[in-house]
Amino acid sequence: MSQHLVLNRTGDKMPLVGFGCWKVDPQDAEDTIYNAIKAGVRLIDGAGDYGNEIEVGRGINKAINEGVVKREELFVVTKIWNTFHAKENVRPTFEKQLKDLGLDYVDLYLIHFPVPLKHVAIEAAYPPGWYQPGKSDDIEFERSPIQDLWREMEKIAESGAAKNIGISNFNVQLILDLLTYANIKPAVLQVELHPYLQQTRLVEWVQKQGIQVTAYSSFGPASFIQLTDDGKTAEPLLGHPVIKEIAEKHGKSTAQVLLRWSLERNVAVIPKSMNVERTKSNLDIFSFSLSKDEVAAIGKLELGLRFNDPFSYGFGLPLFC
Ligand SMILES: NC(=O)c1ccc[n+]([C@@H]2O[C@H](COP(=O)([O-])OP(=O)(O)OC[C@H]3O[C@@H](n4cnc5c(N)ncnc54)[C@H](OP(=O)(O)O)[C@@H]3O)[C@@H](O)[C@H]2O)c1
């Protein structure tokens, strides 16, 4: 099996397995990213919102400067946050992110969420997150159409400063609309995908449009324990008996089975780990494959359970309805 997905327009090869930077503490980020690259990671999935781009960039540049890897062997992804959707804010935000990362270009620039939040100046708060400074229990929107944002994303792609552009947390309705005006088709859609939220129709339709799919939160509840105070959780997937049985059969870990399950759907994965041994094992998912019966058994675990839902963060935005 190939270890890459080929992206439309550029033909760039995006590694099927990467490393996610969400919740990597800035004080650990430089070492964590450097060690992940040394362990073999070639795709780094970051975002302005993760609050660690300076340190992630240091880790990347340390690995490049020490000759561990060449820049062109890495695939760096970042995302534009919700408060920067207005057309005049897009390029300056992107430039800040490039500068923070200490890079001349990124390989993929994604719209983090299709949610136009009221602009917060970089000097006022960065990253600003969902809440507006001075307000604790509500969010404010601004009138920034995705179409205008996409035009600016296209300009960044045309300039070569982001080799590819794409979207995250978009549903079919929005993508269908975007495809009516896009001069550059999104290269990638990044969404939450795991056995409890399989979104099979979305994945298959998006892939048919020539857009590659990346799964985030492949381990389901594993990274959301602190976020769900509404009881919206489920048996940890990493310890689920069905996943365990399959893992034992293959002599693999449950984490490797969960990642391999996405690969069986031609979907890329970006697991995050603070432990370099786990990161190494998360990369080692090409030496086995799941049988049709095993994929079917995992198919039965569907619960329609979404963890990364702004609605559950307490400000009443039912984004995925
Ligand atoms: N576009 C979006 O809106 C969005 C949203 C969420 C996430 N993402 C991206 O997707 C990435 C991954 O998603 P995620 O951070 O939600 O979590 P995840 O990768 O599904 O899970 C991370 C959790 O799993 C543990 N873990 C990792 N490898 C393991 C292994 N081999 N065995 C056992 N436990 C393991 C980690 O603990 P340790 O660190 O202790 O190993 C951590 O608690 C993010 O970092 C981010 O880049 C994007």
Side-chain angles (χ1 to χ4, degrees):
M1 165 178 209
S2 164
Q3 302 208 359
H4 299 94
L5 291 174
V6 177
L7 303 186
N8 66 38
R9 193 177 70 92
T10 57
D12 285 354
K13 289 179 172 172
M14 181 174 82
L16 269 161
V17 186
F19 183 93
C21 299
W22 184 36
K23 293 205 268 178
V24 177
D25 198 303
Q27 70 182 23
D28 302 322
E30 177 176 349
D31 284 352
T32 302
I33 297 304
Y34 172 74
N35 289 327
I37 294 172
K38 264 180 111 174
V41 164
R42 292 295 175 264
L43 182 148
I44 307 292
D45 183 80
D49 183 54
Y50 300 161
N52 55 14
E53 286 210 293
I54 293 175
E55 296 80 5
V56 166
R58 282 189 195 134
I60 292 173
N61 280 300
K62 186 173 169 195
I64 294 172
N65 294 337
E66 290 189 5
V68 177
V69 78
K70 295 195 186 88
R71 171 65 186 92
E72 58 272 24
E73 292 166 340
L74 285 177
F75 193 101
V76 179
V77 185
T78 190
K79 315 183 186 85
I80 186 161
W81 184 243
N82 306 342
T83 47
F84 305 111
H85 283 199
K87 53 187 173 196
E88 64 277 14
N89 293 325
V90 179
R91 186 79 200 204
T93 304
F94 175 73
E95 294 295 342
K96 176 189 167 39
Q97 291 185 260
L98 263 192
K99 193 165 165 246
D100 283 357
L101 285 165
L103 298 175
D104 301 330
Y105 69 90
V106 294
D107 296 276
L108 178 62
Y109 197 41
L110 301 174
I111 300 177
H112 205 146
F113 280 94
V115 178
L117 287 184
K118 190 177 167 207
H119 179 238
V120 177
I122 286 168
E123 310 75 53
Y126 190 87
W130 286 94
Y131 293 102
Q132 312 294 314
K135 298 191 87 189
S136 60
D137 58 355
D138 206 358
I139 54 173
E140 270 187 76
F141 301 105
E142 70 177 17
R143 289 162 62 91
S144 299
I146 296 287
Q147 184 166 356
D148 291 354
L149 167 57
W150 192 250
R151 286 278 170 263
E152 296 306 310
M153 301 283 287
E154 289 178 331
K155 286 183 201 161
I156 293 171
E158 278 155 8
S159 76
K163 305 265 182 216
N164 302 277
I165 51 175
I167 51 186
S168 180
N169 298 303
F170 277 49
N171 65 9
V172 171
Q173 295 182 16
L174 260 177
I175 300 168
L176 200 54
D177 184 50
L178 190 148
L179 292 177
T180 66
Y181 56 76
N183 297 319
I184 295 179
K185 203 192 261 194
V188 172
L189 168 72
Q190 185 180 119
V191 284
E192 178 175 340
L193 290 175
H194 43 72
Y196 291 153
L197 185 72
Q198 305 191 10
Q199 308 204 69
T200 304
R201 290 179 184 173
L202 170 77
V203 170
E204 288 177 356
W205 184 83
V206 166
Q207 289 172 331
K208 252 193 218 152
Q209 311 313 308
I211 300 168
Q212 299 290 10
V213 178
T214 298
Y216 73 69
S217 304
S218 292
F219 304 140
S223 66
F224 289 94
I225 287 141
Q226 304 136 284
L227 292 181
T228 50
D229 55 2
D230 57 354
K232 194 178 164 187
T233 192
E235 183 170 1
L237 273 170
L238 287 163
H240 195 289
V242 170
I243 308 293
K244 258 174 139 173
E245 195 186 318
I246 297 171
E248 276 159 22
K249 221 187 309 168
H250 289 279
K252 293 285 171 187
S253 69
T254 52
Q256 288 170 317
V257 169
L258 290 168
L259 297 172
R260 181 71 208 191
W261 172 77
S262 273
L263 263 50
E264 302 295 348
R265 314 205 295 168
N266 273 322
V267 167
V269 291
I270 44 172
K272 166 260 173 190
S273 179
M274 297 308 292
N275 175 306
V276 76
E277 290 310 314
R278 286 203 279 268
T279 291
K280 279 186 197 159
S281 75
N282 291 343
L283 287 167
D284 176 22
I285 52 173
F286 293 96
S287 58
F288 74 112
S289 59
L290 302 182
S291 69
K292 266 194 174 153
D293 286 351
E294 289 165 340
V295 170
I298 295 175
K300 288 192 190 137
L301 303 184
E302 173 68 53
L303 289 177
L305 189 53
R306 185 187 295 278
F307 294 98
N308 195 25
D309 184 345
F311 194 78
S312 54
Y313 301 161
F315 42 74
L317 175 64
L319 184 64
F320 297 102
C321 290

